Amino acid sequence: MPPKSPRKSTNRSEEERRIPSGHETSDPEFGALCRTLRISDTVQKRARQAYEKLISSQCVFRDTINNEELFGLCLFTASVDSDEMTFTFTELLKAINISVNKCFRLLKEMDVNVDTLSTKVDNAISKLKTKYEIMCLLYQKFQRTFDLIYVEYPNRKISVEISSVKVLESYWLLFLLFSGKVLQMDDDLVISCQLLLCVLEYFIKLSPPELLKEPYKNALNGLSVSCPTRSSRRGQNRNTRTSRQSETDTKVIEVLCEVNECPVDEVTNVYFTSFVTFLDSSGISPSDGLPKVENVSKQYEELYVKNKDFDARLFLENDETLRVDVRDRLEIERTPQKNSTEDAVKPPQTPFRAVMNTIHQLSVTLNSASDEPSDVLISYFNNCTVNPQIKITERVQHLGLVFKEQFANAVGQACAEIGFQRYKVGVRLHYRVMESILKSEEVRLSVQNFSKLLNNEIFHTSLLACAVEVVMATYGRNSFHRLYSPETDLSFPWILKAFELKAFDFYKVIESFIKAEPSLSRDMIKYLERCEHQIMESLAWQSDSPLFDLIKQTRDRDGSVEHPELASTLHQPLQHNHTAADLYLSPLRSSQQYPILSIPTTSIPNGHASAASQPQQKSTSLSLFYKKVYRLAYLRLNNLCSSLLSDYPDLEHVIWTFFQHTLQHEYELMKDRHLDQIMMCSMYGICKAKNIDLLFKTIVTSYKEMTHANQETFKHILIREGKYDSIIVFYNLVFMQKLKSNILQYASPRPPTLSPIPHIPRSPYRFATSPLRLPGGNNIYVSPLKTPYKTSEGLLSPTKMTPRSRILVSIGESFGPAEKFQKINQMVSSSERPMKRSADNPAPKPLKKLRFDMDGQDEADGSKHISGESKFHQKLAEMTSTRTRIQNQKLEDTIDPVKKEEN
């Protein structure tokens, strides 16, 4: 039953004969590289072992890399694993003569083909890659902005000291030094861009007006005292110059912020709290003219060597090691082309502009919000049996100081005020959402006394943490827009650590938060849903989680982990009508008919019923959590089975039964582990019991393709206290030992009864501004009326990303050629009505992925019949189309515009 270990070669000469001649070990070449990179004997030994493993592996990877490159990558991975980095990343690239992009690609191929990289190496590569991509974006923005500021050929002769080329070099070096000293974290695009604007402002004021374009020239001329050139400044008193400049410092900043769509107050705050301090600490003064390139470069050299990363000065030289076409590699959002003269003049949606737009949307939403409770909230506080206002405001102040300190520790001490400003935005959002939640609860319960809820410290901390997380994700949009990109230093669950909050408690507020704040974008809702998934898959199962206490209490009372009716209702739709009050106050269930809930006396703020008269309490929060976990688990299992076991369609149900049994009855296996680890082990164990040849490596290879997959999930699994190993070791030493008898039951003539397949719902979170996909196989959507790119309030159009290949109909706007209506009619009328299912026909397969829709309900590939609908809607609901027809339709939509252009 345990997976077979790979057969080890006992004959060294045979192994060497299998190595192509081009990969023979070359000691002089290896030794020369080790001397160049100052490698220790320990690292050399580990690198040689990795090298021999790679060249002896049966994979195509060895044919895509030469000896020198392979040596270098092995030395890099061995150095990271040994914590003995004696060289910088740029030194490595130069030594083996490859670019940073090729290096990342080869490391990925090495990991995919041979799976040799540890999680420590994975994390190091991820951080290097993130820093490199952010720096590429920053240098691109720097070049574009510089070209907009300075004239290429000034009207009169400019001294060499302040020529555009000299200024360009000084600009970039000062920015690198500034960000290197201020930021401990390299993945915050917003702060980095704000630091860049501070440097730009500094140099603009040191430049003669003749060298500047408008509106910067006009802003400089508008200063009460223009900043003179170095020769004319020598006779002036330094204090006089500084005081005169400080009177009008913000004029240039305001112009820069307007052109670059940045909040003026944030950049001004960065300038005076961070940049001025940096200049003083670095010995740089405006009175000395442009900073000396040699001095700044020397200071940056020290930082670069200390960090062991790449030398960003090489961007100025267009060095081959850093050269990249960012447009092909990075996710640069662009506004789609439309038949509108208004749209034609829109600027491209670059990553920086995208994040500024999301920040602007948040600012517009919170324009009317306050740092203090509103009058409506105060009235709710006054209606409470115990007024919570003082405790709430004190808690907000205390957590603000905690957040400021934790943010500074993560990002850099000079950024403490930046973090505090973000926290204050989160406070405003938190009060806004709290008010919305209370209004909804008032309607639901017909009461105004929420004393128990508002005096619940965990609820309030969770709500505040969720609001701050939304703000942090908005400012760090580069991270959450790519939902499954590697985590950054401030990514969730960082906020839980900062507030010392348990993930299971935070999970209880997410759904209510989303429903209470209608302004959340689709991306942000997906982000919060992904946070919820992280909690369900691993964070809630940490050993110190309150989840285990709740399970134990339920088990002691009921004799099982969950309520007996839960398993029988998995096939029923999940009702998303539970509020934060339900979950935090643990309401009672007077009926065994899940999920219909009675509102308990304990959750009614002004109730005074005696405990003796109350029915036995049962945890709604645990039942709902388990039901959500089952659905997430089945979705992932379904995805994996579809790619690996398509020839065994009945096996998925068997694996799910065993998987669900393990989660319910052997939940201790989840402690400090991951849901996907149990899933992969369940699949492997059942396949062994059924004599189906499925290797663990095959499972892992397919798992890597899943959008949420993380290498650490199968590389770094808890075996026993303090010891971690791969998933195969976990299966052999832990999983199989615990569940061997259960696995063997599925090989017997009388296997266990199969568990019901969970009902796969759409997301409970509605997208009021998103296109609605009509049931059926064809790509037909009903979309809200398009708004302009920016409304008067500054909000973006929710439908700007609609693909051009779709057929768009917008009631109230100019539609275009009538052929579009004809195509839609053809799509509807040509769809064949499928034969109705007889009682003998199998049930339709459940959906394979979550689909977001406006009605919050689920349909199985258009086959669900909805009673009471019109014939038209019934026909749409019953339409089925093959994948070929869909692809052909898309192909037609793509070809038609091309033909029209050719004609």
Side-chain angles (χ1 to χ4, degrees):
M1 193 165 304
K4 297 179 181 179
S5 302
R7 185 176 62 184
K8 297 182 180 179
S9 175
T10 56
N11 191 323
R12 176 64 182 170
S13 61
E14 290 181 3
E15 179 179 320
E16 289 177 348
R17 282 197 294 270
R18 289 198 299 269
I19 303 172
S21 58
H23 290 287
E24 293 178 355
T25 303
S26 174
D27 287 337
E29 187 179 8
F30 182 75
L33 187 59
C34 289
R35 287 191 296 273
T36 300
L37 300 177
R38 307 171 294 281
I39 304 297
S40 68
D41 292 339
T42 304
V43 174
Q44 287 188 43
K45 183 178 179 181
R46 295 188 66 162
R48 187 177 292 279
Q49 291 172 347
Y51 173 85
E52 292 175 352
K53 180 179 179 180
L54 283 166
I55 60 176
S56 62
S57 62
Q58 300 297 317
C59 65
V60 297
F61 168 73
R62 61 188 183 184
D63 299 323
T64 64
I65 185 172
N66 62 44
N67 244 16
E68 186 180 41
E69 292 170 345
L70 187 56
F71 280 143
L73 297 186
C74 290
L75 288 173
F76 172 74
T77 57
S79 297
V80 173
D81 275 327
S82 304
D83 293 321
E84 292 187 34
M85 287 293 293
T86 56
F87 53 89
T88 68
F89 191 55
T90 291
E91 286 180 320
L92 172 69
L93 299 177
K94 293 286 188 182
I96 60 179
N97 194 29
I98 62 174
S99 68
V100 62
N101 281 328
K102 184 177 181 180
C103 183
F104 289 145
R105 177 174 58 79
L106 292 177
L107 285 168
K108 181 178 180 180
E109 290 181 10
M110 179 191 297
D111 199 30
V112 169
N113 287 279
V114 194
D115 201 23
T116 59
L117 303 188
S118 67
T119 54
K120 184 187 292 187
V121 175
D122 283 335
N123 292 334
I125 294 171
S126 174
K127 289 194 172 186
L128 271 173
K129 192 170 185 291
T130 300
K131 182 173 183 176
Y132 171 68
E133 291 183 347
I134 293 293
M135 198 59 70
C136 285
L137 291 174
L138 290 170
Y139 187 70
Q140 266 200 330
K141 180 170 182 60
F142 166 67
Q143 285 184 310
R144 290 195 303 265
T145 308
F146 186 88
D147 291 340
L148 293 174
I149 294 174
Y150 289 95
V151 296
E152 187 174 358
Y153 302 105
N155 294 330
R156 66 178 182 83
K157 185 177 180 180
I158 303 295
S159 66
V160 176
E161 178 192 7
I162 51 177
S163 65
S164 59
V165 176
K166 196 74 171 178
V167 171
L168 178 77
E169 186 178 5
S170 299
Y171 257 123
W172 184 243
L173 289 177
L174 187 63
F175 166 71
L176 293 179
L177 181 61
F178 182 25
S179 60
K181 283 195 171 184
V182 170
L183 292 179
Q184 297 171 190
M185 187 183 68
D186 305 304
D187 52 31
D188 196 310
L189 181 62
V190 174
I191 295 181
S192 296
C193 286
Q194 291 173 343
L195 300 184
L196 180 59
L197 293 184
C198 291
V199 175
L200 290 169
E201 192 268 0
Y202 178 79
F203 276 91
I204 287 173
K205 290 195 299 183
L206 290 179
S207 303
E210 293 84 353
L211 199 60
L212 302 174
K213 295 179 182 179
E214 297 294 354
Y216 305 100
K217 181 177 181 179
N218 185 57
L220 189 63
N221 287 330
L223 298 178
S224 57
V225 176
S226 296
C227 300
T229 59
R230 184 176 182 182
S231 59
S232 61
R233 281 195 300 265
R234 289 173 180 167
Q236 297 183 15
N237 178 273
R238 177 179 177 181
N239 293 332
T240 302
R241 289 195 305 269
T242 304
S243 63
R244 288 181 180 177
Q245 290 176 26
S246 64
E247 292 173 0
T248 53
D249 269 349
T250 59
K251 286 190 175 181
V252 177
I253 290 180
E254 289 170 4
V255 173
L256 281 167
C257 290
E258 181 180 358
V259 173
N260 291 277
E261 301 180 6
C262 288
V264 178
D265 55 341
E266 292 187 14
V267 179
T268 303
N269 179 60
V270 172
Y271 187 91
F272 288 109
T273 60
S274 302
F275 187 62
V276 173
T277 306
F278 156 75
L279 292 177
D280 292 338
S281 65
S282 302
I284 299 173
S285 172
S287 62
D288 298 328
L290 293 178
K292 292 189 177 298
V293 171
E294 296 77 12
N295 294 339
V296 177
S297 182
K298 183 178 180 181
Q299 292 185 60
Y300 172 75
E301 175 87 17
E302 296 174 0
L303 285 174
Y304 150 67
V305 172
K306 178 182 177 181
N307 294 330
K308 307 296 183 185
D309 54 12
F310 56 88
D311 189 349
R313 292 173 296 187
L314 298 178
F315 279 112
L316 291 167
E317 304 173 14
N318 195 25
D319 189 271
E320 291 183 357
T321 59
L322 298 184
R323 190 176 299 164
V324 60
D325 186 351
V326 183
R327 292 171 298 180
D328 293 338
R329 296 201 65 256
L330 303 180
E331 295 183 10
I332 299 179
E333 304 171 71
R334 295 188 180 278
T335 306
Q337 301 293 324
K338 299 179 184 178
N339 298 326
S340 170
T341 56
E342 177 186 346
D343 295 333
V345 296
K346 295 172 187 173
Q349 187 80 329
T350 62
F352 182 69
R353 182 171 285 111
V355 71
M356 286 298 106
N357 282 332
T358 58
I359 293 172
H360 179 69
Q361 290 185 43
L362 183 64
S363 300
V364 169
T365 300
L366 299 177
N367 270 345
S368 58
S370 171
D371 295 338
E372 301 293 334
S374 66
D375 293 338
V376 175
L377 273 180
I378 292 175
S379 67
Y380 279 119
F381 296 160
N382 292 334
N383 288 332
C384 291
T385 306
V386 178
N387 193 316
Q389 183 172 354
I390 295 178
K391 286 187 176 180
I392 287 177
T393 53
E394 287 180 348
R395 191 178 296 116
V396 167
Q397 292 174 1
H398 168 70
L399 291 177
L401 298 176
V402 170
F403 181 88
K404 182 177 180 179
E405 180 182 358
Q406 295 295 329
F407 187 91
N409 291 339
V411 181
Q413 294 301 318
C415 298
E417 285 301 322
I418 299 174
F420 192 61
Q421 292 300 317
R422 294 186 184 182
Y423 174 80
K424 289 197 292 186
V425 176
V427 170
R428 293 198 292 271
L429 179 61
H430 134 271
Y431 280 132
R432 172 186 164 99
V433 172
M434 182 188 296
E435 181 178 321
S436 178
I437 287 176
L438 294 179
K439 287 179 179 178
S440 298
E441 289 294 282
E442 181 181 358
V443 173
R444 187 173 75 100
L445 302 177
S446 299
V447 295
Q448 293 181 328
N449 182 348
F450 299 102
S451 186
K452 286 186 177 294
L453 180 64
L454 293 177
N455 282 285
N456 187 309
E457 181 178 358
I458 295 178
F459 161 72
H460 180 256
T461 305
S462 300
L463 186 64
L464 180 58
C466 193
V468 174
E469 180 63 29
V470 167
V471 174
M472 296 291 287
T474 300
Y475 278 85
R477 188 176 187 274
N478 188 59
S479 301
F480 88 75
H481 184 65
R482 296 176 296 173
L483 292 177
Y484 306 107
S485 62
E487 292 184 356
T488 62
D489 291 341
L490 295 181
S491 293
F492 185 80
W494 177 85
I495 191 66
L496 303 183
K497 299 173 185 176
F499 284 0
E500 297 183 350
L501 183 65
K502 301 301 181 184
F504 183 70
D505 292 324
F506 182 86
Y507 140 85
K508 297 176 187 178
V509 82
I510 294 177
E511 189 170 317
S512 291
F513 189 99
I514 292 174
K515 292 178 178 179
E517 183 46 69
S519 69
L520 293 179
S521 67
R522 185 186 181 103
D523 275 342
M524 184 58 70
I525 293 175
K526 285 186 176 181
Y527 174 79
L528 288 176
E529 193 171 34
R530 174 56 188 152
C531 292
E532 186 180 59
H533 289 177
Q534 284 183 263
I535 293 172
M536 291 190 291
E537 70 191 12
S538 62
L539 298 178
W541 301 98
Q542 293 175 350
S543 54
D544 60 346
S545 172
L547 173 63
F548 288 101
D549 292 334
L550 193 57
I551 292 176
K552 185 177 184 302
Q553 293 169 10
T554 305
R555 191 183 186 91
D556 292 344
R557 183 185 62 241
D558 299 335
S560 64
V561 174
E562 52 186 334
H563 303 294
E565 75 274 14
L566 182 57
S568 64
T569 60
L570 280 176
H571 63 283
Q572 298 177 4
L574 179 62
Q575 300 296 322
H576 294 276
N577 56 1
H578 305 284
T579 68
D582 287 335
L583 302 182
Y584 283 98
L585 299 179
S586 191
L588 312 179
R589 293 187 296 167
S590 59
S591 169
Q592 293 297 309
Q593 186 63 35
Y594 186 88
I596 299 175
L597 304 176
S598 64
I599 304 302
T601 306
T602 54
S603 71
I604 299 178
N606 55 359
H608 299 287
S610 63
S613 65
Q614 299 173 8
Q616 185 183 25
Q617 289 196 15
K618 291 186 178 182
S619 173
T620 295
S621 61
L622 180 61
S623 295
L624 182 61
F625 177 79
Y626 252 98
K627 206 163 188 180
K628 282 190 172 184
V629 168
Y630 285 160
R631 280 154 176 77
L632 179 65
Y634 177 72
L635 278 171
R636 294 183 177 180
L637 178 64
N638 177 266
N639 191 338
L640 204 56
C641 287
S642 297
S643 61
L644 293 176
L645 299 173
S646 57
D647 295 335
Y648 305 93
D650 296 333
L651 199 59
E652 178 189 295
H653 204 163
V654 178
I655 298 172
W656 164 245
T657 300
F658 177 61
F659 187 15
Q660 188 266 337
H661 167 87
T662 305
L663 293 175
Q664 178 179 352
H665 298 287
E666 304 295 343
Y667 60 89
E668 288 287 341
L669 282 174
M670 280 292 297
K671 187 173 288 187
D672 292 324
R673 298 191 178 99
H674 196 287
L675 182 69
D676 295 348
Q677 296 164 356
I678 307 301
M679 174 184 68
M680 287 186 277
C681 288
S682 298
M683 174 177 280
Y684 181 82
I686 294 300
C687 286
K688 294 293 288 185
K690 296 290 187 179
N691 293 318
I692 295 174
D693 187 18
L694 182 63
L695 301 178
F696 235 128
K697 182 178 181 180
T698 306
I699 296 175
V700 168
T701 301
S702 182
Y703 173 76
K704 288 179 182 180
E705 300 301 318
M706 298 176 73
T707 53
H708 69 279
N710 188 311
Q711 302 234 28
E712 191 167 352
T713 304
F714 53 84
K715 286 185 177 181
H716 192 71
I717 308 176
L718 177 67
I719 306 300
R720 53 179 175 269
E721 187 175 357
K723 182 180 179 181
Y724 294 81
D725 214 312
S726 69
I727 191 169
I728 297 178
V729 177
F730 167 72
Y731 178 87
N732 286 333
L733 300 184
V734 181
F735 188 87
M736 188 191 68
Q737 303 302 324
K738 185 78 172 177
L739 294 164
K740 184 175 181 179
S741 59
N742 299 94
I743 295 173
L744 292 175
Q745 289 180 18
Y746 292 89
S748 67
R750 301 181 62 183
T753 304
L754 298 181
S755 299
I757 295 294
H759 175 83
I760 305 303
R762 289 177 180 152
S763 170
Y765 315 121
R766 301 182 180 185
F767 302 101
T769 57
S770 301
L772 168 64
R773 182 182 186 273
L774 294 181
N778 287 307
N779 258 351
I780 302 178
Y781 288 77
V782 175
S783 182
L785 179 67
K786 293 182 179 63
T787 60
Y789 182 67
K790 285 189 177 181
T791 66
S792 58
E793 293 83 10
L795 297 178
L796 290 173
S797 168
T799 55
K800 68 178 187 303
M801 297 304 291
T802 304
R804 296 176 61 192
S805 59
R806 301 280 166 83
I807 301 176
L808 304 177
V809 180
S810 183
I811 307 302
E813 286 187 358
S814 175
F815 178 63
E819 287 81 0
K820 289 186 178 180
F821 275 124
Q822 293 174 2
K823 285 187 178 180
I824 293 177
N825 289 335
Q826 290 173 3
M827 290 170 67
V828 175
S829 61
S830 64
S831 298
E832 298 177 2
R833 184 187 298 270
M835 295 180 63
K836 293 184 178 180
R837 294 189 186 89
S838 64
D840 297 330
N841 287 339
K845 292 182 180 180
L847 295 179
K848 294 186 178 181
K849 60 169 76 173
L850 282 173
R851 294 189 299 185
F852 299 89
D853 242 329
M854 295 174 67
D855 59 3
Q857 298 299 315
D858 169 65
E859 297 164 11
D861 292 332
S863 59
K864 182 177 178 181
H865 181 82
I866 305 174
S867 59
E869 288 188 323
S870 66
K871 292 182 178 180
F872 174 73
H873 286 102
Q874 288 182 10
K875 184 172 184 178
L876 287 178
E878 294 172 355
M879 282 194 309
T880 58
S881 298
T882 62
R883 182 171 299 180
T884 304
R885 178 188 293 169
I886 297 173
Q887 291 174 344
N888 289 341
Q889 181 62 49
K890 289 183 178 180
L891 186 60
E892 282 182 27
D893 295 339
T894 305
I895 293 175
D896 283 350
V898 177
K899 288 182 177 178
K900 290 179 181 178
E901 289 178 6
E902 291 176 351
N903 294 335

